[in-house]
Amino acid sequence: MRITPDCLLHTFSLNAGTASSVQPLGGWEEPKPKASFVAIPSACALRAASAGDAQMKAHGDEMVAELAKCQAKLTGGYLSAYPTEAQGRWS
């Protein structure tokens, strides 16, 4: 809950052409995001379902909604923090 959805979605927003005013996470998240972001919405959903945590559900819902906005701005249903040209470079 300490990391805001805006911060987690920083590179997704930039890739979708949306301005981001937050400071990127940095550290081990550079130069590409790892599995942490992928796990966070899932963790929010599990916590909300198992513990009835409304705040956690709202946090997860906000991230999913923002990801949907990013995906809608991109072509072909692509959703990533990085442009399609970057696919395969980090595998």
Side-chain angles (χ1 to χ4, degrees), residues 9-86:
L9 296 169
H10 174 76
T11 52
F12 285 88
S13 297
L14 294 178
N15 187 46
T18 304
S20 176
S21 61
V22 299
Q23 185 74 7
L25 288 174
W28 73 281
E29 290 284 334
E30 296 293 338
K32 62 176 184 163
K34 306 288 191 274
S36 66
F37 178 77
V38 176
I40 290 171
S42 296
C44 289
L46 288 171
R47 170 76 182 186
S50 66
D53 189 331
Q55 184 180 10
M56 187 66 71
K57 181 180 183 324
H59 197 67
D61 287 348
E62 181 180 350
M63 284 187 281
V64 171
E66 290 302 315
L67 283 171
K69 289 178 190 175
C70 290
Q71 188 174 29
K73 291 183 120 185
L74 299 167
T75 58
Y78 180 75
L79 177 63
S80 177
Y82 296 93
T84 55
E85 303 82 49

